[in-house]
Every structure is written in structure tokens, then in C-alpha cells.
Amino acid sequence: MITPADPAFMELATPYALHAMPQAESDEIDRMLAEAPELIARAFADEVRAVREVAARLSASTAVEPPEQVRVRLLAAIGKETTAPLPAVVTELPRRNWRSTILSAAAALIVGLVVVGVGWAIRPDPKPTTAEQIFAAKDVRTVSGEIPTGGTATVVFSRERNAAVLVMNNVAPPESGTVYQMWLVGADGAHSAGTMDAGAVSPSTTAVLPDIANSRALAFTVEPGSGSSRPTTPVFAELPLV
């Protein structure tokens, strides 16, 4: 078992946050955190909180109403006068390593499965979304930082999936006539990763960033109009993608 002194210990924050590891391993992490130096315990807690905020935000933004046939089936089941037990909808799964269970845990949190009545679950699309793939990746990482003007930004990213999910919480929107522009910064300079105007920035804002390639940081600037081809103002926030 990895110890808090091991740099790889922080990588356990994602499966821990998504409840994607056996209970015994989760309990062992709790024990180690209780005995770990305050700085390590606080950093681990921040990482866990950031992952759960991202998952909650994505779950809320992708939840869907169940199809009409589910309602019909429920009413039919309720109307039947029978003592026969309803079909079981939960089966016991074999114990697996957290690396192999993370996809199912992330999918439940991110996609927002709609469970109705006695337990019918509807998933909108069997194909994993980009966000699901990021959370399921073996090399998934989470980085968080404060925005100088207020609020926080969190990036969950995977080199394996060549993509990232950005979540900004309680960040003030840009002034009229300007946008926040995101830049993927690499050895060859800064490349635009998209813009956010005042209408796109809410108390909790989510964006998927594809093609992170070998970028070593995600930077933010304020740009005039609808954005610029290259940064024209100083970077006001930056998150390392390491």
C-alpha cells in the first residue's frame, strides 16, 4: 500500500472520491490520513473535494428525464394486486481493483443515471462521453487553483485521452465587451482552448477541453470582443498540467 510520503499517494484521491475502490482500501486511506502531516492531509482533501465538485457538476448538466415507457411500466406494476416479489435490479459484483472499477463509478456520478420507482435505470447513451473517458483513464489527474478575482478553477485531465474537463466555481463573469480566453501552453507557445463571455460564466461553469496534447499549463487571460488569436493581456491565472 502506498504511504502518504509517496508522491503517488495523491493519485488515489480520484478513485477515493468516486468510491471506486474496495471499502478496506478506503478505510486504510482514512487511517493514514488521520496520521499524516497536516499539509498532506489537507492537499488530499482538496483533491477529493475538487473531483467530487466536477462529478456533481457534470451529473447535474447531463441528467435526463426517463422515457414515457418507464412511467407506464411503473403505473402498471403499482396497479397489479400481486404478492410476487419484483425482479431484482442489483446483483453482487466480483471484487475488482479500483483501476478497473473507476469507469462504472465515474459513469454513475457524471452521466446522472435516472433511477425511478422500484429501480429501473435509464442511461442516455451507452457510448462513454469524453468526461467519462477522462475519469476512467489510468493517468487521470486533478489540479485546482484560486482565481485572483475570486472563485476557483479545477481541471481534471488525461494525457491518455488527450482531453480535460474544466470547472470554475464562483468566478465573476468578464466585463462587458470582453471574454475570458483559455490557453493551452506548451513548448511552442499558447494555443486558444476557447472563450467564455459573461453569459457563459455562471456560479458553476463546466467546459470540455480537447486536444491538450503536450501542453504543460492551462492559462487564462481577458481578451477584447470575442477573443484573440494570441494573448494580448497578462495571464491572470494558470493551472499546471503536470
Side-chain angles (χ1 to χ4, degrees):
M1 184 71 180
I2 296 173
T3 67
D6 192 320
F9 181 71
M10 294 302 295
E11 295 181 7
L12 298 177
T14 296
Y16 179 91
L18 297 176
H19 305 290
M21 57 171 53
Q23 186 60 46
E25 292 184 19
S26 179
D27 292 343
E28 179 64 14
I29 288 177
D30 289 336
R31 185 192 65 75
M32 288 192 292
L33 288 172
E35 300 173 356
E38 182 181 355
L39 210 57
I40 293 178
R42 186 183 306 164
F44 192 91
D46 289 345
E47 192 92 347
V48 169
R49 182 171 58 254
V51 170
R52 287 176 176 169
E53 286 177 355
V54 171
R57 173 60 180 167
L58 292 174
S59 175
S61 66
T62 56
V64 296
E65 290 296 325
E68 178 62 24
Q69 60 264 33
V70 174
R71 178 176 179 274
V72 173
R73 290 172 64 190
L74 270 175
L75 293 177
I78 293 172
K80 289 181 180 179
E81 294 183 359
T82 176
T83 58
L86 291 171
V89 295
V90 178
T91 58
E92 184 175 352
L93 298 176
R95 177 173 174 145
R96 297 173 293 176
N97 183 275
W98 69 261
R99 291 267 186 209
S100 62
T101 60
I102 190 170
L103 177 57
S104 57
L109 286 168
I110 298 172
V111 177
L113 296 180
V114 180
V115 182
V116 184
V118 293
W120 284 297
I122 304 301
R123 182 171 176 170
D125 187 350
K127 182 179 179 180
T129 64
T130 299
E132 283 183 284
Q133 293 176 13
I134 293 171
F135 272 86
K138 293 180 179 180
D139 66 338
V140 62
R141 297 292 303 275
T142 306
V143 179
S144 297
E146 295 184 358
I147 302 298
T149 55
T152 60
T154 299
V155 176
V156 180
F157 67 97
S158 164
R159 300 289 182 187
E160 177 184 301
R161 297 301 179 181
N162 192 28
V165 175
L166 167 69
V167 174
M168 299 196 306
N169 289 316
N170 301 317
V171 175
E175 296 181 0
S176 177
T178 67
V179 294
Y180 289 146
Q181 189 153 359
M182 297 163 288
W183 305 91
L184 288 168
V185 182
D188 57 346
H191 301 274
S192 177
T195 61
M196 293 181 181
D197 59 18
V201 178
S202 60
S204 186
T205 305
T206 304
V208 175
L209 309 177
D211 302 322
I212 63 173
N214 294 319
S215 303
R216 60 173 183 264
L218 177 67
F220 301 81
T221 63
V222 177
E223 299 296 331
S226 59
S228 306
S229 58
R230 68 178 192 277
T232 64
T233 65
V235 170
F236 67 84
E238 183 172 301
L239 295 174
L241 300 180
V242 295

